Amino acid sequence: MSNSHVKIFDTTLRDGEQAPGCSMTLREKLRVAKALSELNVDIIEAGFPAASPGDFDAVKAIADENRGPIICGLARCNPDDIEKVHAAVKGADSHRIHVFVATSAIHREHKLKMAKEEIIRSAVGAIKMARELCDDVEFSPEDASRTELAYLAEVVTAAIEAGATTVNIPDTVGYTVPHEFHQLFRYLKKHVKNLDAATLSVHCHDDLGMAVANSLAATNAGARQVECTINGIGERAGNCSLEEVVMALKTREEFFGLTTQIDSTRLYPTSRLVAGITGMHVPRNKAIVGENAFAHEAGIHQHGMLQHASTYEIMKPDDVGISKSNLVLGKHSGRHAFRSRVQELGFDLDEFETNRAFQEFKKLADKKKDMFDGDIEAIIMNADGASTGPWILQALQFQSATDETASASVKLIHENGTTNEISATADGPVEAALMGLEKVTGIALTLRNFELRSATAGDDAQGEATVTADFEGESYRGHSASVDIVEAATRAYLEVINRILRRQERGVLKNRQTADVNQASI
Ligand code: KIV
Ligand code: ZN
């Protein structure tokens, strides 16, 4: 591989998924992994197998199913973590074990309570063990950007000597700035004598809003792998955004002299997919994939654009997979056109799912005059949630007026054939409907977050509701869309309840339905 190639290491499913509110189901992770393969990332970090049996299963399923990118799993420097990663990733055509240990004085003293030499011994032992299981081993000195330079060089030298094939330098707390980080990489280039035996990588967090700039500075100083996430999701302020770093390298190729193998036309669909699944919506003004990224409002800009697009446009919407007009299909569109648009949007539905989504599309097209990509995405996300069962919403009625108590009546049918209808009253119709759901299902939740947004433009747009609620110390997310926002909220809440009931059925959770539903804290 040429020295101008920058590997894209995607950690959406590990560092991204770890962020509050971003957890994904196995099915959702598989869908994201497939989209990442189509995007042509070099490496997918699929998870942290030792974190939980669910994480292990997800990494294994991704490794067994995905062909193309290297599948990687994260491990601390201990034999159990390393064995778990190996067992999870070994089914992939190519796989990697990623081991890490913190090296900064702050982490050494306050978190690990380990001396410098102990940390090096632990890293070396872990890397050697991982190399016995796998030829491709990455090592990360966590909090590298706050580690003493001479000690960092010592750790990196020892890691490469022990067999690390990639050495990743994380700015774990998003503390560094581009010029300083560039100097850090130059320092390592100068003082780590065996550095050429490994690929140098960079991993930045966005606490000061500089993750992309810092990653680019590192590539300028010799890094040839960038770790990043779709839409920049990740702990706290997030990670380096994949779409931004890729498009910066592509748009300014003459300046950087570097290339990636990413199919940039898959950036927008992948971004939409991850936003839809995680409920972490992309701000309108977000670079590359935000709704306004290619919109030109000011008259003077529009005039320039009409003369020549390059006056105000440094990238074309097509380059990142945004079609000129995303007004896509209408009520007369056929199943074939629907199916190919669904595929272009990055979804891979089987026959049954396509038919179900197409029927929903037709129903919606009767209600709405214009259908957009966002509508199709909302339908598919809806179908995903609805398929969780066991309760299905059969009817919803509600009443509300200013300064009056609202009421709602929900009618649910269980897959065992039981039908149950209950009414509830509350301050507003959404609250009343959610209380009705709790009464019928016997599951009382603590609502943590409730978001409502419009799926597309227009006054007949669908409302998308995303609900995060807690049950027995764990958070669950539900998502739904409808032209009726009370219905969207009710379906999203029901999705959460269904997920919990399914977990109870599988024995993951105790079947302890909350009797006193009046205690419901919604
Ligand atoms: O931010 C960080 O330091 C990490 C490491 C595990 C690579 O995510
Ligand atoms: Zn990180």
Side-chain angles (χ1 to χ4, degrees), residues 128-189:
K128 284 189 173 158
M129 175 180 171
R131 270 308 295 267
E132 277 169 24
L133 300 169
C134 177
D135 286 341
D136 188 345
V137 173
E138 172 167 334
F139 170 70
S140 291
E142 192 191 3
D143 206 16
S145 56
R146 292 193 299 169
T147 300
E148 306 89 320
L149 282 178
Y151 177 57
L152 184 63
E154 204 186 318
V155 174
V156 170
T157 308
I160 297 173
E161 234 169 61
T165 45
T166 299
V167 172
N168 178 45
I169 305 299
D171 179 28
T172 304
V173 290
Y175 179 73
T176 196
V177 297
H179 186 63
E180 178 189 57
F181 212 35
H182 186 275
Q183 284 177 337
L184 184 155
F185 275 77
R186 297 310 304 168
Y187 180 93
L188 292 179
K189 281 259 171 199

Side-chain angles (χ1 to χ4, degrees), residues 14 17 29 35 41 68 75 102 104 119 136 141 161 198 210 250 295 350 367 385 419 439 447 451 483 490 504 521:
R14 200 277 297 168
E17 207 254 349
K29 287 182 186 176
V41 303
S104 66
I119 285 173
D136 188 345
E161 234 169 61
M210 282 183 277
K250 186 174 161 102
D350 62 24
K367 291 191 206 157
T419 305
K439 285 184 177 178
L447 186 64
E451 278 176 48
V483 283
T490 307
Q504 286 181 338
S521 36

Side-chain angles (χ1 to χ4, degrees), residues 348-366:
D348 180 30
L349 304 187
D350 62 24
E351 211 48 35
F352 174 78
E353 291 165 329
T354 307
N355 285 340
R356 189 172 57 187
F358 185 58
Q359 279 166 16
E360 290 303 315
F361 170 80
K362 285 285 185 187
K363 271 197 239 159
L364 185 62
D366 271 339

